[in-house]
Structure formats: structure tokens, C-alpha cells
């Protein structure tokens, strides 16, 4: 089977890091480029973190570019309470062996699409600022060369940044509205799915049992991330949101989805950034997305552990 060409747009971010690992490790994905966006941390830090993850995981030859430093409208938000001041607290990282691409994210997306022989899948796991900016700047190229967008964001239920809004959407609601209104094939994997995959103590045990430096880094990441989720949300184990996007690509059916009309609330005093998902078709609006509803959690964790095992066996980049 021909690997799926993917551009990962992320804000690492502990869970973004695992999305990156899975995308790089799995044979069903051809990871063409990594773009970063302001979200969990300022964009300079998310770009550095993407380079750090590529270095420790031995992911070479994939360009990493930094994108928008703020949302399309208003001031940005970050999540140091979850990801730490660096955006990737927990393990110690040395100097990255992966350079920052001199192009900005939108240019890298454009040139990657133009340079690839066929359509490419965009996998956003952070605020949708870069994706929206690309769609606004290059609508024809997007229509011609973007196969689908599989994003982590939103929720069919409660939010996590506010009671109504999930972080990625809350960070840039206008960008999310542009993506959901684009007419492209959009899949939304939200909190209602990601909270079905908490990174339990058993997962950490499986990772540490791999016995590689990368596995230790991954376990240390999840240890920090888990402590943050216990502190902030009182959860026993942290949901590993972002790699569900890649898992959905490599294992169709692992995440179950239904077609639905998704609207992004832009003006609500208490609800701005909410994804209003019409699961029952009561609005009469046509479906504009496939919305995640369930996941095979055991299969998901097998994919994660296998990815760490695969990359750990290769070793880190050494500059
Ligand atoms: O709400 C969870 C999402 O926001 C994840 O993508 C996490 O990394 C943060 O970006
Ligand atoms: Ca993220």
C-alpha cells in the first residue's frame, strides 16, 4: 500500500510529540514536513520542541518550519500548566540536531504540496492558525492538492480550555471556522474521543520495558504530562489527544466517525471557541466534517508502543 503523504502541523506539546513519533515510525505514513504553530507554547518553543523530538527519535530529513506566532484574531493562549514553561517539560533535551527550516510554515506547506506528485493529507494537532492562513493564501492549491484534513480539536461535549471550548479551537476560533467552512474533507477528532485513551500506568510500564533511551524520554514525558493532568483536572491518567489523528490514518476504523455539521462559536460570551456538533441533524445544516465518536483504545496503545519501539531501535540523530 502506498504510504499516505502527510504534513504534520503541531504545537509540541507532549501529546503532539507522540503524534510526531507515530507519523515518523509507521510505514503507512510518508511524513513530508513538520510545521509548528503557537499553542501549547509560543511558536519559537514549539518549533524547538519539534526539532528536539526529531533529534531524540532519529527523525532526519523532514523539514521543520515555524508558523504563526498568534491567532488570526486577538491574543494567543498557551498551556504551561499542562506542558510546562518549555512546552515539553519532563525530560532533559540536548541541542537539537535538526535545523529550523528557513522557510515559514505557510511557504513550507505550499512548496511541499507543489513538490509532491499527488494530494497530501494535512494533520493539524494544534491551533488551526497555520492551516487557515494557508487556505486563505492559496485556496486553489488547497483545493487541488489537499486530500483531507484530519485534526485534533473540538469536542462533541465539554471543552477543556473553557467549559465550552477545547484548547486548539479556543486558541484560534476564526481559524477553525475557516477550516470547517473550507469544503475540504475534514475529520475532527475531539476530546470526546481523546478522553477514551488515558495514558495509564500500564502504558508507562510498557514503554519503560522497551529499555531504550527514547522509551525513557517518552515515559518521562508522560510522567510530567500525567502529573499536570492530575493537578489541573484531577484525572488519574492524561488523555493522549494528538496521536489519534495519525492512528486514524494508519488504522482506518480504529477511530469511529460519523458525518455531522460542525459550527464554531465565534461570539458567545461564555461559549466562544465551542464546536457545536449537530450529531442528530436537527439544524438541517449539511455535514461538513466526519466527527470522531469512539476508539479502539487497546489498538491505539499498541500503535504508540510499536512506534516508540521502532524509532528507539534506530537511535537518536547525532548532529
Ligand atoms: O485540547 C488538547 C489539545 O490542545 C492537544 O492538541 C494539546 O496538545 C493542545 O494543543
Ligand atoms: Ca497539540
Amino acid at each position: 500500500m502506498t504510504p499516505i503523504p502527510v504534513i504534520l502541523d503541531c504545537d509540541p506539546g507532549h501529546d503532539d510529540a507522540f503524534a510526531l513519533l507515530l507519523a515518523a515510525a509507521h510505514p503507512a505514513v510518508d511524513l513530508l514536513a513538520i510545521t509548528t504553530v503557537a499553542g501549547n507554547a509560543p511558536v519559537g518553543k514549539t518549533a524547538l520542541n519539534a526539532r528536539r523530538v526529531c533529534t531524540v527519535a532519529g527523525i532526519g530529513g523532514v523539514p521543520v518550519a515555524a508558523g504563526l506566532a498568534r491567532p488570526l484574531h486577538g491574543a494567543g493562549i498557551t498551556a504551561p500548566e499542562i506542558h510546562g514553561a518549555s512546552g515539553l517539560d519532563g525530560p532533559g533535551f540536548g541541542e537539537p540536531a535538526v535545523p529550523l527550516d528557513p522557510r515559514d510554515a505557510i511557504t513550507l506547506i505550499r512548496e511541499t504540496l507543489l513538490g509532491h506528485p499527488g494530494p497530501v493529507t494535512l494533520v493539524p494537532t494544534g491551533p488551526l492558525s497555520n492551516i487557515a492562513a494557508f487556505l486563505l493564501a492559496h485556496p486553489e492549491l488547497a483545493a487541488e492538492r489537499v486530500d483531507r484534513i484530519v485534526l485534533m480539536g473540538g469536542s462533541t461535549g465539554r471543552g477543556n480550555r473553557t467549559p465550552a471550548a477545547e484548547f486548539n479551537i479556543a486558541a484560534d476560533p476564526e481559524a477553525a471556522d475557516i477550516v470547517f467552512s473550507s469544503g475540504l474533507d475534514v475529520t475532527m477528532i475531539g476530546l470526546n474521543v481523546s478522553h477514551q485513551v488515558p495514558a495509564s500506568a500500564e502504558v508507562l510500564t510498557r514503554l519503560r520495558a522497551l529499555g531504550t533511551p527514547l522509551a525513557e524520554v517518552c515515559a518521562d514525558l508522560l510522567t510530567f504530562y500525567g502529573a499536570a493532568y492530575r493537578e489541573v483536572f484531577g484525572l488519574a491518567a492524561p488523555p493522549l489527544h494528538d496521536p489519534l489523528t495519525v492512528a486514524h490514518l494508519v488504522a482506518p476504523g480504529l477511530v469511529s466517525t460519523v458525518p455531522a455539521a460542525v459550527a464554531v462559536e465565534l461570539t458567545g460570551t461564555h461559549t466562544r471557541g465551542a464546536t457545536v456538533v449537530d450529531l442528530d441533524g436537527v439544524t438541517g445544516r449539511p455535514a461538513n466534517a466526519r466527527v470522531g465518536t469512539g476508539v479502539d483504545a487497546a489498538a491505539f496503545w499498541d500503535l504508540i508502543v510499536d512506534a516508540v519501539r521502532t524509532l528507539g531501535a534506530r537511535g537518536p540523530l547525532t548532529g
Side-chain angles (χ1 to χ4, degrees), residues 8-60:
L8 178 69
D9 183 70
C10 53
D11 63 334
H14 292 67
D15 53 329
D16 301 76
F18 284 86
L20 174 48
L21 295 179
L22 183 54
H26 201 284
V29 173
D30 179 8
L31 184 58
L32 302 177
I34 300 161
T35 53
T36 66
V37 66
N40 288 321
V43 69
K45 291 185 177 179
T46 59
L48 174 59
N49 291 336
R51 294 163 58 208
R52 284 169 164 169
V53 172
C54 288
T55 300
V56 297
I59 302 167

Side-chain angles (χ1 to χ4, degrees), residues 75-97:
I77 57 176
T78 55
E81 74 282 2
I82 299 295
H83 299 280
S86 74
L88 205 60
D89 280 17
F93 291 97
E95 273 307 298

Side-chain angles (χ1 to χ4, degrees), residues 46-311:
T46 59
L48 174 59
N49 291 336
R51 294 163 58 208
R52 284 169 164 169
V53 172
C54 288
T55 300
V56 297
I59 302 167
V62 181
V64 179
L68 272 63
R70 60 188 52 80
L72 299 187
H73 298 267
I77 57 176
T78 55
E81 74 282 2
I82 299 295
H83 299 280
S86 74
L88 205 60
D89 280 17
F93 291 97
E95 273 307 298
V98 172
L100 181 66
D101 194 289
R103 294 166 289 185
D104 68 82
I106 309 318
T107 302
L108 179 56
I109 293 171
R110 176 179 177 274
E111 293 184 359
T112 302
L113 293 180
L114 288 172
H116 195 72
V120 174
T121 294
L122 304 184
V123 178
T125 61
L128 292 162
S129 313
N130 287 344
I131 305 302
F134 170 73
L135 297 180
L136 290 173
H138 306 289
E140 299 81 11
L141 183 60
E144 186 187 327
R145 293 293 182 89
V146 174
D147 186 31
R148 58 190 299 204
I149 297 175
V150 181
L151 66 93
M152 193 280 144
S155 173
T156 62
R158 294 173 53 82
N160 60 0
R161 182 64 181 200
T162 74
E166 177 278 327
F167 178 87
N168 287 337
I169 310 301
D172 197 339
E174 280 73 17
D177 184 45
I178 288 167
V179 171
F180 282 106
S181 307
S182 66
L184 292 172
D185 181 345
V186 175
T187 297
M188 172 189 126
I189 300 179
L191 298 177
N192 55 293
V193 177
S194 62
H195 278 249
Q196 299 178 47
V197 286
S200 63
E202 187 235 344
V203 167
L204 270 78
T205 300
R206 289 177 68 185
L207 288 172
R208 292 205 190 277
L210 296 175
T212 64
L214 177 63
E216 282 305 304
V217 168
C218 289
D220 289 349
L221 284 172
L222 291 180
T223 300
F224 178 91
Y225 185 59
Y229 260 87
R230 270 193 304 279
E231 175 68 26
V232 173
F233 294 103
L235 293 180
L240 203 66
H241 315 278
D242 291 336
L244 283 163
T245 55
V246 182
H248 181 56
L249 282 179
V250 305
L254 186 142
V255 173
S256 48
T257 65
V258 295
V262 178
V264 180
E265 178 57 58
L266 300 177
T267 59
T269 303
H270 306 291
T271 55
R272 174 169 159 79
T275 48
V276 182
V277 183
D278 184 7
L279 291 173
D280 300 321
V282 296
T283 66
R285 288 199 307 266
N288 59 346
R290 310 165 202 255
V291 176
T293 53
V295 59
D296 178 344
F300 170 74
W301 289 117
D302 287 346
L303 283 174
I304 297 297
V305 174
D306 287 347
V308 176
R309 178 185 295 109
T310 298
L311 294 173

